[in-house]
Amino acid sequence: MVLENFDIIEGYVSKHFHVEGFHSTKEGSFFVVNDYHADEFSQLVHEMDEIGYIPFMEPYNGFYRIGIAEKPERGKSNIGINILLFVATIATTLYAGYTFGGEKIWDAVAFSAAIIAILGTHETAHFAAARKHGVDATLPYFVPAPTLIGTFGAVINVKSPIPTKNALFDLGFSGPVAGIIVAVPVLIMGIMLSSVIPAKAGALTFDPPLLMSIFIYLLLPPIPAGYGLNLHPVAFAGWVGIIVTMLNLMPVAFLDGGHISRSLFDEGIHKVISILGIAVTLILGWIPMAILMFVVLFATKRHPGALDNVSGITKWRKFMAVFVLLVFILCLSPVPGGSL
């Protein structure tokens, strides 16, 4: 905090809360107040934003503490980059679908459209949730890549703090749920387009997640011994959508599941749950992703939670947290490997 602005900042804080004291620690400097009102804190956030500061509030030894951070400058987004990356991802996913589908152009088109629909819906839902809560966020950035699926996914860049735990939950919850809503009909269509063929030695095999197994059971007759399901590219895209949902829902650090976890629990419990999420990712065999999660958790700053870390989430959101946990369980899947 800039020293010469202390009196001004204290004036804003004391306007809304009864200040008990001011402390400086290794964690930073903060005001201690003895009361909490969500509306008053929301007003403080608005007023502090106008003079270039961001307040954040959390419980503290039977009281509450309000920390103050300088508002970072936000760079302007260049939508041209979003468009360029989107076009490049169309090209790389077309090539991936063309290769996977036995060099059939329409299968390539179907695969590309399915993958982009799932990823695009996922990130667009994040963007819509951010706009709903007044959080500054970019449009989705698609990430083209020379991989089996032609992409590393898509992301949005959140450029301003998240105001409340309800908003934090919504930002984490929105993407995976929207993505899986699109992935399920894609998966159903793909399973119906797939064919049962004799098992081939050396073919890549995998144990499907429970969600996929349910639809295979409902849509197809029993697969006889010595045979296997040859996935159509659209079914493969549906499976990718399930994996994307699973990995994003891992309750680790800044992942979508991490946002949900942090909206429900304090920082200490969230970190323990993050470690458990990394362990589950390792057990399932997604080693590179587990390593990335580990680096993000321990080599970056802590998850700050919402600016208002005092109020909880609504009952409806608690119910939806249980629903998301069910979706997560249905999507759990080990990494493909082995051969027939």
Side-chain angles (χ1 to χ4, degrees):
M1 181 184 304
V2 180
L3 185 61
E4 58 265 27
N5 289 336
F6 175 81
D7 291 339
I8 297 174
I9 294 169
E10 183 182 33
Y12 277 104
V13 174
S14 60
K15 175 183 174 182
H16 298 281
F17 301 95
H18 179 73
V19 177
E20 293 287 338
F22 179 79
H23 300 276
S24 292
T25 68
K26 293 180 180 179
E27 298 179 355
S29 300
F30 54 88
F31 294 91
V32 177
V33 302
N34 64 5
D35 55 343
Y36 165 75
H37 302 285
D39 292 340
E40 292 292 330
F41 182 72
S42 177
Q43 184 63 29
L44 176 63
V45 171
H46 175 72
E47 293 173 358
M48 296 293 288
D49 179 76
E50 293 183 344
I51 63 170
Y53 291 95
I54 301 171
F56 48 93
M57 189 173 189
E58 58 189 354
Y60 177 73
N61 296 336
F63 295 90
Y64 306 95
R65 65 181 180 184
I66 299 177
I68 308 292
E70 291 188 11
K71 180 181 175 181
E73 293 186 10
R74 303 174 191 170
K76 292 184 178 180
S77 300
N78 184 352
I79 194 172
I81 296 176
N82 301 78
I83 295 172
L84 180 63
L85 290 173
F86 177 69
V87 172
T89 303
I90 291 176
T92 54
T93 52
L94 279 172
Y95 179 77
Y98 186 74
T99 303
F100 182 85
E103 301 184 350
K104 298 176 182 177
I105 186 62
W106 289 114
D107 285 352
V109 171
F111 174 80
S112 177
I115 285 287
I116 288 176
I118 294 169
L119 297 177
T121 302
H122 180 123
E123 296 303 328
T124 300
H126 282 318
F127 178 78
R131 291 291 296 270
K132 172 186 174 182
H133 291 284
V135 177
D136 187 15
T138 66
L139 291 169
Y141 291 98
F142 286 82
V143 186
T147 62
L148 181 64
I149 64 173
T151 178
F152 283 137
V155 297
I156 66 169
N157 181 19
V158 176
K159 302 170 71 175
S160 65
I162 300 171
T164 65
K165 289 184 179 180
N166 283 333
L168 183 60
F169 178 89
D170 289 354
L171 259 72
F173 161 86
S174 56
V177 171
I180 202 67
I181 287 174
V182 175
V184 166
V186 166
L187 182 66
I188 291 172
M189 185 183 305
I191 290 173
M192 295 178 69
L193 291 171
S194 299
S195 56
V196 177
I197 62 173
K200 297 179 181 179
L204 183 67
T205 64
F206 65 91
D207 295 320
L210 183 58
L211 181 62
M212 188 173 185
S213 297
I214 290 171
F215 286 116
I216 291 174
Y217 175 80
L218 293 175
L219 297 171
L220 299 178
I223 298 176
Y227 285 76
L229 185 65
N230 184 37
L231 290 182
H232 187 275
V234 172
F236 181 51
W239 175 78
V240 171
I242 293 175
I243 300 306
V244 167
T245 301
M246 175 195 72
L247 292 176
N248 274 281
L249 281 178
M250 286 293 174
V252 179
F254 297 92
L255 294 175
D256 296 339
H259 286 335
I260 295 172
S261 170
R262 188 65 179 90
S263 73
L264 293 167
F265 306 107
D266 63 26
E267 182 186 352
I269 296 176
H270 168 67
K271 191 164 187 177
V272 172
I273 293 174
S274 292
I275 293 171
L276 292 175
I278 294 172
V280 171
T281 308
L282 280 171
I283 291 170
L284 292 173
W286 300 94
I287 308 300
M289 188 64 182
I291 293 173
L292 179 60
M293 290 177 184
F294 182 87
V295 171
V296 171
L297 180 62
F298 290 101
T300 61
K301 62 183 180 180
R302 67 185 180 92
H303 194 306
L307 294 181
D308 181 352
N309 260 323
V310 179
S311 62
I313 64 173
T314 61
K315 290 183 179 180
W316 178 84
R317 288 178 173 86
K318 291 178 182 178
F319 171 79
M320 294 310 298
V322 176
F323 171 73
V324 169
L325 177 61
L326 177 61
V327 170
F328 175 65
I329 293 171
L330 289 172
C331 290
L332 287 173
S333 178
V335 69
S339 59
L340 294 173

